[in-house]
Amino acid sequence: LKTFEHIVTSTNGRLGMIALNRPKVLNAINRKMVSEILEAMEGFDRDNEIRVIVLSGNGRAFAAGADIDEMMDDSSIDLELLNQFTDWDRLAQIKKPIVGAVQGFALGGGFELALCCDLLFASNDAEFGFPEVNLGVMPGAGGTVRLTKLVGKTKAMEWLFTGKRVSAEEALHYGIINRIVAPELLEEETVKFANTIANQAPLSIRLMKESVLKAIDYSLYEGMQFERKNFSLLFSSNDQREGMNAFKEKRRPNFSGN
Ligand code: CO8
């Protein structure tokens, strides 16, 4: 595995693990870190041994936002020419499921990164929020869009306009996270959960992820047209035969991912 500057990657069986690693600045996300996260994710996405990606923080935070030091002197034209958010577009194209583990702060760009995960576990000390309003800016990596699609306009505007921090309990209530666990169990429980997904038929998971993400953008009719193409596609897979034969033979299926 490649060594990165701002993240640490490893494998754990069928899981590709990515940990943000700038704990002194609460994992503030600079541009290099985003491109490293993307590179690591795309690597795991192409790796046939890996079925699920797990993304976590390190130290006191998941990530306390974009690196303010890096961007504070940028002009609009600097940002336009930099075109940094194409990396975030590519993050949204990762095909394998991404499970996030959030401890401590997930703020600003850190919250946006958490919202790029498909499933989220959080420790009970986790705090989510968009404090950009306090800096005279706003989210730029999908925050106003993903939060609104997830929790609706009312809560999204309240949280964006006040910059308030939302507790793990409240995040669970609004469907932002899947589960709250004790801080000392966060890694273990996230890995256990990621492994249950890693043991499922990989192509089913892959095409369901794609269909669910399309459902967020498409009308019901278009979403259903898209879904049925993926449904049909699975009938060319070995795993469809394996799954259905195993059912008839009253045994556990052994899925190969093809
Ligand atoms: N950028 C750079 N440094 C940071 C950041 C950050 N976002 N957050 C924390 N740090 C640094 C602090 O400066 C401090 O460094 P030092 O020890 O050198 O002074 C260190 O991390 C520890 O932080 P604190 O001493 O402040 O720790 P506290 O426990 O007192 O406070 C907080 C924790 C409340 C999280 C506080 O650090 C804070 O408010 N941080 C900033 C949060 C914020 O405003 N985030 C939004 C940034 S804007 C943004 O994300 C825009 C997204 C746009 C696109 C995304 C692209 C990636």
Side-chain angles (χ1 to χ4, degrees):
L1 279 176
K2 188 177 160 175
T3 307
F4 294 97
E5 187 180 349
H6 301 308
I7 62 171
V8 177
T9 62
S10 59
T11 59
N12 178 352
R14 291 164 157 173
L15 310 182
M17 315 288 293
I18 302 172
L20 310 182
N21 192 32
R22 298 184 78 205
K24 284 202 187 98
V25 286
L26 305 180
N27 296 322
I29 304 170
N30 58 23
R31 289 154 194 153
K32 176 110 187 273
M33 187 196 274
V34 177
S35 72
E36 290 185 347
I37 294 166
L38 179 63
E39 187 181 341
M41 285 212 185
E42 290 184 336
F44 286 139
D45 217 24
R46 282 188 301 264
D47 182 341
N48 289 335
E49 304 299 312
I50 297 299
R51 292 190 175 177
V52 176
I53 298 166
V54 177
L55 178 65
S56 62
N58 191 347
R60 281 207 293 136
F62 178 74
D67 187 336
I68 295 170
D69 297 329
E70 184 182 57
M71 69 184 157
M72 62 184 299
D73 296 322
D74 282 333
S75 73
S76 307
I77 301 304
D78 292 335
L79 292 175
E80 166 61 25
L81 296 177
L82 195 61
N83 200 19
Q84 62 180 322
F85 298 115
T86 52
D87 277 353
W88 292 77
D89 296 337
R90 281 168 63 187
L91 275 180
Q93 300 303 318
I94 298 294
K95 297 280 190 171
K96 289 177 187 170
I98 305 168
V99 181
V102 176
Q103 87 243 40
F105 302 110
L107 304 177
F111 193 6
E112 289 174 310
L113 186 60
L115 291 173
C116 288
C117 296
D118 302 310
L119 299 147
L120 282 174
F121 271 36
S123 62
N124 44 31
D125 67 357
E127 291 185 73
F128 300 83
F130 283 116
E132 282 86 342
V133 68
N134 301 320
L135 301 169
V137 291
M138 61 180 282
T144 63
V145 187
R146 285 206 172 90
L147 185 67
T148 304
K149 293 199 182 219
L150 195 53
V151 305
K153 170 193 155 190
T154 309
K155 278 291 151 185
M157 286 205 185
E158 179 187 327
W159 295 340
L160 288 159
F161 293 178
T162 60
K164 81 170 231 182
R165 299 210 292 261
V166 173
S167 67
E169 285 294 338
E170 207 170 348
L172 184 67
H173 177 78
Y174 284 100
I176 294 169
I177 60 176
N178 295 83
R179 199 166 305 168
I180 301 177
V181 289
E184 65 277 13
L185 295 178
L186 181 63
E187 188 182 343
E188 185 186 327
E189 291 292 322
T190 307
V191 163
K192 204 195 295 178
F193 178 70
N195 272 320
T196 63
I197 296 168
N199 290 330
Q200 308 284 63
L203 288 171
S204 298
I205 302 281
R206 184 185 186 92
L207 298 191
M208 286 193 289
K209 168 169 172 168
E210 195 181 35
S211 292
V212 171
L213 292 180
K214 284 284 188 234
I216 295 170
D217 282 340
Y218 281 13
S219 68
L220 181 69
Y221 179 78
E222 289 171 304
M224 287 182 67
Q225 307 310 302
F226 187 85
E227 179 192 65
R228 72 190 53 151
K229 298 284 182 203
N230 277 349
F231 175 76
S232 306
L233 188 56
L234 288 173
F235 283 75
S236 300
S237 68
N238 292 327
D239 283 347
Q240 175 267 332
R241 279 188 293 285
E242 169 61 10
M244 292 190 176
N245 284 334
F247 175 80
K248 293 305 290 178
E249 293 160 15
K250 300 191 189 300
R251 60 174 174 83
R252 285 168 66 96
N254 180 16
F255 293 120
S256 59
N258 58 45

